[in-house]
Amino acid sequence: MSGSPGPAARAAASPGAGDLLAQLDPEQRAAADAPLGPVCILAGAGTGKTRTITHRIAHMVVDRGVGPGQILAVSFTTRAAGELRGRLRAMGVPGVQARTFHSAALRQLQHFWPAVAGGPLPRLESSKIPNMVRAAGRLRLSPDRAELRDLTAEVEWAKASLVAPADYARLAAAGGRETATPAQTVARLYAAYEEVKREAGVVDMEDLLLLTAAMIEEHDWVATEVRSRYRHLVVDEYQDVNALQQRVLEAWLGERDSLCVVGDPHQTIYSFAGASPRYLLDFPRRHPDAAVVRLVRDYRSTPQVVGLANRLVQAAPGTRLVAAAPDGPPPVWLECDSEADEAAAVASRIRTLIARGTPASRIAVLYRINAQSEAYEAAIGAAGVAYLVRGGEKFFARPEVVAALRLLRAALRSADTDRPAGLADTVADILGALHWRADRPSAGSGAEREQWENLAALHRLAVDLAARSPQAGLAEFVAELGDRVTHEHQPTVEGVTLSTLHAAKGLEWDAVFLVGLTDGTLPLVHAKTAEQIAEERRLLYVGVTRARTHLVLSWALARADGRRSRRPSRFLDDLRPARRGLVPAAGGRGGPGAGGLKGPGSPAGTGTTGGAGGAAGRQGATEETGAGGGPGRGRSAVRCRVCGRALTGAQARIGRCEGCPGDVDAALYERLRAWRAATARELHMPVFVIFTDATLQALAECRPRSVPELVRIPGIGQAKLDRYGQAVLDLVAGRTPPTPTHEPS
C-alpha cells in the first residue's frame, strides 16, 4: 500500500522475529510462524489464542513484509476487536483492521453502495422489534413481550442460517427448532417482516452481511478492490461462525487461501442462533494443505480447575488441557435447601474472599438465565458488596459516566490553567464537580456505591495512562475515552460481576461462582435433543474455564423453602467428589464413617447425600470439596468450611482456619452453652464430655438444620449424634429441647 513503511523500516522500528516468537511456547510459536496460507489453530480455553494470533500478525508485518492495512482480523465482539488493536499497537504494529463481521461489512457497504446501487445505503435499524410489531399487526397477531422476543430470535436464526421464509417451516423442523408459535405462522411473520423493512427502506444487522456478500459476488470490480485491499484474513472464535458469516468470509477470500482461523469446538455455545463448529472442524478437509496447530497449555486456571474442565467434556487424549499454573484450592461443591439460602451462602463466601484480599472486580457469579440474577443482586447488595450486572446498561451510557465525559470535554475546551499538576489529580479535580472523592464511601445505598465505583473506574484509567505515558495530558485522556466509547471498551469497575454464562465467554476472573446448577436450569428444560444437551454441557465448560483459582459450583434443592424436589445438574454426576470417591460423602451409603448414619427424623438404614467439608454459610447449606488426590481411605480429612484447606489440631476441632472469618450466632452459642451446662448437671458429668467449646462454636457458626449437616461438623460422631443430635437441632431451630436423661450404666 502506498504510504506504508517498507519491511526494512518496519523491522528497524519493531521487534524482530526472534524477539517476537521467543516469547511463545512451542505450540504458539508453530502457529505464529506457520506459512502464509491456510492455518487452523485449535485453541483450548486459557491457552493464549489472542497472544498467538497477535504475534502471528506482528510477525507477518515485521518479518514477512505484509502491509498492516492488508490484514483484516475479524472477531465477534467490539471488545475483542478492540483488544486485538490495542495489543498490536503495543507491539508496534498499528494499522491492522481488527473489526467485527458487522463492522467490517458496514464499512465496505458505506464505501461501495452508492456506486453499486446508485443511492445511499438504507438506514440500519439496530432493533428488529418495531418492525416485528408492524409485521405481526398485518397478520392480526398480538404477541406479548416474551413471545415477540422468541419470534425475533427465530427470524434471526433463519437469516443467519440463510433460510428463506418459504423454507423456514421445513428447515426448522429438520433442525429440531421448537417454538410456541406454529412454524407456518413464524414463516408468514418472517415474510411480513421482510416486506415491512423493504417498504420502510431500512435494513437490519443480518442484511449488512447479506448485502456485502451479494455485492462482492455480483460485482467483479468490488470483489477485486476488496480482495486487493485485504489479502490476509484472520478469524477469531471461528467455532461460532454461522452460515451467513461464512458466506461473507468466502466472498472476502475468493480463490485465495491466506486464511488463519482460531477456535475451540468445546466452546461452541451459539448453535441456537445458527452458529456451527463444522466450519472449524472441517477446515482441514476444505483446505488439505492447511497447517493445523493445537494449543493445550492452559495458562489461566489451576490444575484443579483444568482437571474438572477436562472431565466435564470428557476430553480425548491430545485434546485435554494441560495446566501451566501452580496448584490451587479444590473446587467447592455447595448444596443448599433453597435459592435464597444459596444466594446468601454465595454472598457470604464473596465477603470472605474480599476480606482475604481478592478484589471484587476479580469475582464473578455466573448463571444460565438472566432471571436468576435477582436473588444474587439482593444478597450481594445486602452484604455491602458492590456489583455490576453484565449485559445491563452499558458503562458509557450510565448517567454519571455521561456527565463525567461532558465535564472532561468541557475542561479540555476551557482556558482554565488553575489545575493540579499531573493527569490523575486533574481528572480527580474535575470529577469532584460530581461530588466524587478518591476515598471510598463507607456508607450509602447500593446505587450510590455503584456510582462512586463507576467514576473511580474513570479515574483509574487516568492513573493507568499517566503510568504508561508520563507526559500525557487531558487531551490524550479525553481522546482515549473517545476511542473506548466508540469501541465499547469499558474499564474495570470495582464490583462483583453478575453475568449469564453466554455473556461471560471470553472473560476470566480469580474466583467464579457457578450457581443454580440444577436439572431444568442447566441443562435447560427446553434442551431435549442430544445436540442441545451437549451444547448445555459445553456452556457449563465455558463457565468452569472462566475461573483462575477459586471455583464454587452450587445448587438449591427447592425454589423457596418448600419441597426439596430438585436434583443437581446431571452434568455434575461424574464430577462431584462424593460420586467419584475422592471424598466420602458424610452420611452416604457404604462410605467409611457414613454407614447408614441415622438420627431422629431419619428412617433407619437410609444414608444421606451431599459432600464432606463442613456446613457452608447459613440456612442449611452443605458443601463438598475435592481432595485433589486418589480415592479416599477411612474418614475424610477435616477441611476449613470457609476456604477448603485441610485442617489439623485445634483448627480441625473448630472446623475453620484461624485466619478465616467466622460468623458465630451469639444468641445460639449462649443457648448451646446453657443447654450443655444443664445437661452436664443432670447427667453428672463435665461439660466438655458433652461438647467442647470448639464444637459449640462450630455449631453456632454453621447452624445445622438436619442430621446430614450436623454430622459434618468436627466433634460430632455417631455416639454424640444419637445422644444429643435432636437436642442440638431443636436449639438451632429455636425450639426447647427435651429434658436430658441419665446415661445407661
Side-chain angles (χ1 to χ4, degrees):
M1 289 181 59
S2 61
S4 298
R10 286 192 300 268
S14 307
D19 293 333
L20 282 170
L21 303 186
Q23 303 171 31
L24 306 178
D25 69 30
E27 294 81 17
Q28 292 172 342
R29 179 169 184 143
D33 199 29
L36 293 179
V39 178
C40 179
I41 305 173
L42 299 171
T47 57
K49 67 179 180 64
T50 304
R51 177 182 178 83
T52 301
I53 58 176
T54 52
H55 279 73
R56 175 172 176 79
I57 291 170
H59 181 39
M60 291 166 61
V61 173
V62 173
D63 302 298
R64 290 176 168 168
V66 175
Q70 296 175 335
I71 302 171
L72 175 60
V74 186
S75 189
F76 280 79
T77 66
T78 54
R79 183 194 62 81
E83 183 179 358
L84 277 174
R85 286 192 301 273
R87 290 200 190 191
L88 288 168
R89 280 197 302 267
M91 297 171 72
V93 187
V96 173
Q97 291 296 305
R99 297 181 174 275
T100 64
F101 272 99
H102 291 92
S103 172
L106 177 59
R107 191 176 190 206
Q108 292 172 21
L109 283 172
Q110 288 171 334
H111 179 75
F112 292 109
W113 191 259
V116 168
L121 181 68
R123 186 179 77 255
L124 172 64
E125 294 276 21
S126 57
S127 172
K128 292 183 176 64
I129 296 296
N131 287 322
M132 287 292 290
V133 170
R134 297 185 187 98
R138 291 189 178 188
L139 301 181
R140 300 181 182 278
L141 300 174
S142 301
D144 60 27
R145 180 178 298 180
E147 292 169 333
L148 195 60
R149 184 186 64 239
D150 292 343
L151 290 167
T152 300
E154 280 304 294
V155 170
E156 288 177 348
W157 169 81
K159 299 190 74 168
S161 303
L162 298 177
V163 174
D167 300 322
Y168 170 82
R170 174 175 57 84
L171 295 179
R177 309 286 296 182
E178 291 188 8
T179 60
T181 305
Q184 291 293 348
T185 303
V186 177
R188 291 171 54 225
L189 182 63
Y190 178 12
Y193 167 76
E194 292 297 310
E195 184 178 273
V196 167
K197 280 199 297 100
R198 282 194 299 271
E199 292 174 0
V202 298
V203 294
D204 60 22
M205 297 297 283
E206 287 76 28
D207 290 334
L208 292 183
L209 303 184
L210 283 166
L211 293 174
T212 299
M215 181 178 67
I216 297 173
E217 291 164 353
E218 297 173 10
H219 298 273
D220 290 341
W221 68 273
V222 175
T224 299
E225 189 169 338
V226 169
R227 293 166 187 168
S228 64
R229 172 66 187 272
Y230 299 121
R231 300 182 182 181
H232 309 276
L233 300 175
V234 178
V235 184
D236 193 12
E237 302 287 4
Y238 193 53
Q239 78 279 349
D240 288 329
V241 161
N242 58 43
L244 176 54
Q245 291 162 337
Q246 180 66 18
R247 178 177 167 185
V248 174
L249 181 60
E250 290 171 355
W252 285 336
L253 192 63
E255 299 300 319
R256 301 165 303 158
D257 66 355
S258 186
L259 170 63
C260 174
V261 299
V262 189
D264 179 7
H266 288 322
Q267 296 189 67
T268 303
I269 59 172
Y270 293 107
S271 295
F272 67 90
S276 173
R278 73 175 184 271
Y279 301 113
L280 174 66
L281 297 174
D282 290 350
F283 190 87
R285 181 183 57 78
R286 298 198 313 275
H287 301 274
D289 297 330
V292 179
V293 182
R294 192 179 297 274
L295 307 183
V296 295
R297 301 176 201 236
D298 187 325
Y299 296 95
R300 173 188 300 157
S301 305
T302 64
Q304 288 75 12
V305 173
V306 169
L308 182 65
N310 283 332
R311 295 199 304 274
L312 177 61
V313 294
Q314 300 174 334
T319 68
R320 295 191 184 101
L321 294 175
V322 178
D327 272 345
V332 172
W333 307 82
L334 195 61
E335 181 174 277
C336 303
D337 284 339
S338 70
E339 289 180 341
D341 297 342
E342 184 182 4
V346 166
S348 176
R349 285 181 169 272
I350 287 172
R351 286 191 64 181
T352 298
L353 283 169
I354 293 172
R356 293 174 63 113
T358 302
S361 60
R362 297 184 184 177
I363 302 173
V365 178
L366 308 181
Y367 35 79
R368 177 62 179 86
I369 57 176
N370 281 309
Q372 293 173 271
S373 74
E374 184 177 356
Y376 295 92
E377 292 181 51
I380 295 171
V385 176
Y387 65 87
L388 60 144
V389 181
R390 186 168 180 81
E393 187 179 32
K394 294 181 179 178
F395 177 83
F396 288 107
R398 294 168 188 169
E400 63 275 12
V401 176
V402 171
L405 293 177
R406 189 181 302 117
L407 283 174
L408 289 164
R409 294 186 186 111
L412 180 62
R413 292 192 300 268
S414 75
D416 182 13
T417 58
D418 185 19
R419 292 181 185 145
L423 175 60
D425 289 341
T426 296
V427 171
D429 185 61
I430 295 169
L431 295 179
L434 298 173
H435 307 292
W436 184 85
R437 296 294 180 268
D439 296 331
R440 185 185 302 273
S442 58
S445 67
E448 290 170 338
R449 288 197 300 270
E450 183 179 6
Q451 291 169 5
W452 185 92
E453 293 288 357
N454 290 334
L455 296 178
L458 290 177
H459 184 253
R460 283 194 295 272
L461 288 179
V463 173
D464 293 343
L465 177 57
R468 293 195 312 269
S469 305
Q471 304 305 315
L474 192 58
E476 289 78 8
F477 181 61
V478 170
E480 177 171 313
L481 290 179
D483 184 68
R484 284 176 171 269
V485 171
T486 300
H487 298 108
E488 298 179 14
H489 184 194
Q490 73 175 41
T492 299
V493 177
E494 195 55 47
V496 174
T497 298
L498 304 182
S499 173
T500 64
L501 288 162
H502 281 100
K505 189 167 179 290
L507 303 175
E508 58 188 72
W509 295 269
D510 288 353
V512 168
F513 292 79
L514 301 176
V515 301
L517 301 181
T518 59
D519 259 5
T521 301
L522 191 70
L524 274 179
V525 67
H526 303 299
K528 297 178 180 177
T529 69
E531 177 49 40
Q532 289 169 341
I533 297 295
E535 179 140 336
E536 295 285 301
R537 181 182 290 272
R538 292 194 297 269
L539 190 57
L540 180 57
Y541 172 86
V542 167
V544 168
T545 54
R546 299 310 94 195
R548 297 189 190 105
T549 305
H550 302 281
L551 177 63
V552 178
L553 303 96
S554 67
W555 60 93
L557 298 177
R559 184 175 298 278
D561 291 327
R563 188 166 58 91
R564 292 156 56 110
S565 59
R566 290 176 168 180
R567 72 175 295 265
S569 169
R570 70 194 72 174
F571 301 147
L572 308 182
D573 287 350
D574 296 327
L575 303 177
R576 292 165 60 193
R579 293 181 180 270
R580 293 179 59 83
L582 295 177
V583 178
R589 297 178 185 173
L597 283 170
K598 62 184 186 296
S602 295
T606 59
T608 62
T609 60
R618 52 187 73 158
Q619 310 271 344
T622 66
E623 87 177 61
E624 306 165 351
T625 59
R633 303 177 187 274
R635 190 172 179 86
S636 61
V638 176
R639 293 188 176 274
C640 173
R641 58 181 162 270
V642 178
C643 69
R645 293 176 180 170
L647 302 176
T648 59
Q651 293 181 352
R653 291 192 293 275
I654 297 174
R656 173 174 53 78
C657 296
E658 184 176 359
C660 285
D663 185 17
V664 176
D665 184 331
L668 174 58
Y669 183 73
E670 291 305 318
R671 290 201 304 274
L672 288 166
R673 280 172 55 86
W675 164 82
R676 182 182 65 171
T679 302
R681 286 194 300 270
E682 180 67 25
L683 301 179
H684 307 295
M685 61 177 61
V687 292
F688 67 83
V689 173
I690 299 173
F691 287 130
T692 66
D693 287 345
T695 300
L696 292 189
Q697 181 178 342
L699 287 167
E701 284 190 23
C702 301
R703 301 180 277 282
R705 298 198 306 175
S706 64
V707 170
E709 296 168 26
L710 188 57
V711 298
R712 293 189 181 96
I713 295 176
I716 299 183
Q718 184 68 60
K720 298 269 178 96
L721 176 66
D722 291 340
R723 294 170 187 165
Y724 312 123
Q726 186 60 54
V728 170
L729 293 175
D730 287 340
L731 287 162
V732 172
R735 299 187 296 266
T736 301
T739 302
T741 58
H742 287 283
E743 295 288 319
S745 57

